[in-house]
Amino acid sequence: MNAPATLPAFASPADNPDELRLEFSGSGGAYFKIWIVNLLLSILTLGIYSAWAKVRRERYFLGNTLLDGSAFDYHADPVKILKGRLLVMAAIVVANIAVEFNPLLNLVVMLVFAVLLPWMISRALRFRAHNTSWRGLRFGFDGLAWGAAKAWVLWPIAGVLTAGLLLPVALAKQRRYLMNHLRFGQAPFEIDLPVGAVYRVFGRVLLLSIAVFGLLGLVAALLIGSVDFFAASGLDPSSRGAAIGLTIFTAVVVFYLGLALIAPYVSAHLSNLTFNHSNLGEHGFLADLAPGRYVFIVLTNWLLTALTLGLYRPFAAVRLWRYRVEHLAVLPAAPLDDFVAAQEEEARVIGEEAADLLDVDLGF
């Protein structure tokens, strides 16, 4: 599917007085009640209730996400989700038992998983799209396993083999696979994502990484210098060992913290690029996430969740979702009521069964 040369999403928000901002009407307190019940029932049922918990969670977040005054909806059947999860768990258990009898089977299991992964990805995306709707009109996804294999297996392998040089290409291929096979009713989404823009994001990440890990080196040098200073002053061996241990611990914490902060920074940039280069029919999109603000929200969510022993987690989820939703807008070329009036054709029974076969939430 080829995107048009000029997409409506390229228009400036100042030139679009009719832009429709998405809104979120939920609250952390309301979701906390759902989250705590989901958690307790999932524990009491040894995880069986987790399928119903997922449906309740998705319905809360989508049901409170509004576009042009109308909420989204989630229609998944928790029984079908449970069947899919039990099937996956059974496969994992059988694979682990087989490996115990013959370690060489581990290689076979890995190969089988690599072959099945693209199929699972395409089915998962189809499942989520099929079970999401707006104003009664469902989304759809028609990507095939081979396309997923190229986007999620072959290109990432190429990225690793080239020491990361082709990873931006892999990410661009994944975004194209997602958007170019997604539809709303019968209207297809299209994306014209330039790879050069993704490379520019990674250029910023490289500079950010140099700054973060440069700071890491400075902290480590200062700590090591302090150890040497106290050693020269007659620090006893046990205290010297504790100081060296503290140095190593600090270095590891800063290293992983740097990696953890880079991920949401890249995520915010890629979200902006994806939507700002996509369209749905004649309608465009505008995403204006601020990467620095996004990283701050993620970081403070982690901190508050840790300080409250996990109790802040539902508030963190709402806070992050609200920020993502409220920094996304639709740039309509015409009234959306007219667009929705072209209703989706009835899905074939075989298509519905295939869509409901497996649930793996990849979150795109």
Side-chain angles (χ1 to χ4, degrees), residues 175-357:
R175 298 289 168 145
R176 291 172 181 172
Y177 176 78
L178 290 172
M179 299 302 291
N180 283 335
H181 294 285
L182 185 65
R183 66 180 186 274
F184 178 57
Q186 292 185 341
F189 286 80
E190 295 173 308
I191 185 170
D192 184 17
L193 177 59
V195 176
V198 184
Y199 270 102
R200 285 192 290 273
V201 171
F202 273 74
R204 298 189 191 100
V205 169
L206 179 60
L207 295 177
L208 180 63
S209 300
I210 292 174
V212 169
F213 295 119
L215 178 61
L216 166 63
L218 177 61
V219 171
L222 291 175
L223 289 174
I224 292 173
S226 66
V227 171
D228 292 338
F229 172 78
F230 285 115
S233 302
L235 187 68
D236 64 273
S238 61
S239 298
R240 188 182 307 134
I244 294 174
L246 177 61
T247 301
I248 296 174
F249 174 77
T250 302
V252 171
V253 169
V254 175
F255 176 79
Y256 282 105
L257 181 60
L259 292 180
L261 293 179
I262 288 172
Y265 180 84
V266 173
S267 176
H269 272 296
L270 288 181
S271 293
N272 288 342
L273 285 175
T274 299
F275 285 105
N276 292 338
H277 290 83
S278 298
N279 70 299
L280 173 61
E282 296 181 350
H283 308 292
F285 300 94
L286 172 69
D288 54 7
L289 293 170
R293 175 64 180 171
Y294 191 74
V295 169
F296 174 77
I297 292 174
V298 171
L299 181 60
T300 52
N301 278 350
W302 291 342
L303 179 61
L304 291 172
T305 300
L307 292 176
T308 59
L309 302 179
L311 292 179
Y312 186 75
R313 185 174 178 181
F315 297 89
V318 167
R319 183 184 178 203
L320 191 62
W321 180 264
R322 183 191 303 278
Y323 184 76
R324 292 184 66 93
V325 163
E326 295 183 351
H327 284 79
L328 176 62
V330 174
L331 307 177
L336 294 183
D337 288 337
D338 297 340
F339 178 70
V340 176
Q343 293 294 322
E344 180 183 17
E345 291 182 353
E346 292 293 329
R348 293 178 299 175
V349 174
I350 187 173
E352 292 183 355
E353 291 176 350
D356 291 340
L357 178 61

Side-chain angles (χ1 to χ4, degrees), residues 3-198:
T6 303
L7 301 180
F10 294 161
S12 167
D15 299 329
N16 285 274
D18 296 328
E19 74 172 49
L20 298 174
R21 285 273 171 180
L22 275 73
E23 303 173 12
F24 185 69
S25 59
S27 66
Y31 178 56
F32 179 85
K33 299 175 184 177
I34 296 174
W35 176 81
I36 195 67
V37 172
N38 283 348
L39 177 63
L40 293 176
L41 290 179
S42 296
I43 294 174
L44 292 175
T45 60
L46 302 179
I48 293 177
Y49 186 77
S50 64
W52 281 263
K54 173 187 170 66
V55 172
R56 291 187 68 200
R57 181 181 69 248
E58 295 292 341
R59 286 179 177 170
Y60 179 79
F61 278 97
L62 290 176
N64 283 283
T65 300
L66 308 176
L67 172 60
D68 197 24
S70 299
F72 290 80
D73 201 0
Y74 188 68
H75 307 274
D77 182 352
V79 174
K80 293 178 180 178
I81 294 177
L82 180 62
K83 290 179 180 179
R85 291 182 175 179
L86 292 176
L87 177 63
V88 172
M89 291 178 60
I92 294 174
V93 170
V94 171
N96 287 332
I97 293 176
V99 170
E100 290 295 327
F101 281 102
N102 187 349
L104 293 178
L105 289 176
N106 189 35
L107 179 60
V108 176
V109 171
M110 292 177 62
L111 291 175
V112 171
F113 177 77
V115 172
L116 291 180
L117 179 62
W119 177 83
M120 294 174 63
I121 291 174
S122 62
R123 292 292 181 179
L125 295 173
R126 181 179 300 184
F127 181 93
R128 182 167 182 82
H130 174 74
N131 286 290
T132 304
S133 70
W134 183 72
R135 289 187 177 175
L137 189 59
R138 295 205 184 200
F139 290 80
F141 186 83
D142 59 9
L144 300 178
W146 173 239
K150 290 188 290 185
W152 264 273
V153 179
L154 299 182
W155 275 108
I157 290 176
V160 173
L161 294 178
T162 57
L165 291 178
L166 290 180
L167 284 179
V169 179
L171 289 173
K173 293 289 185 181
Q174 291 170 4
R175 298 289 168 145
R176 291 172 181 172
Y177 176 78
L178 290 172
M179 299 302 291
N180 283 335
H181 294 285
L182 185 65
R183 66 180 186 274
F184 178 57
Q186 292 185 341
F189 286 80
E190 295 173 308
I191 185 170
D192 184 17
L193 177 59
V195 176
V198 184

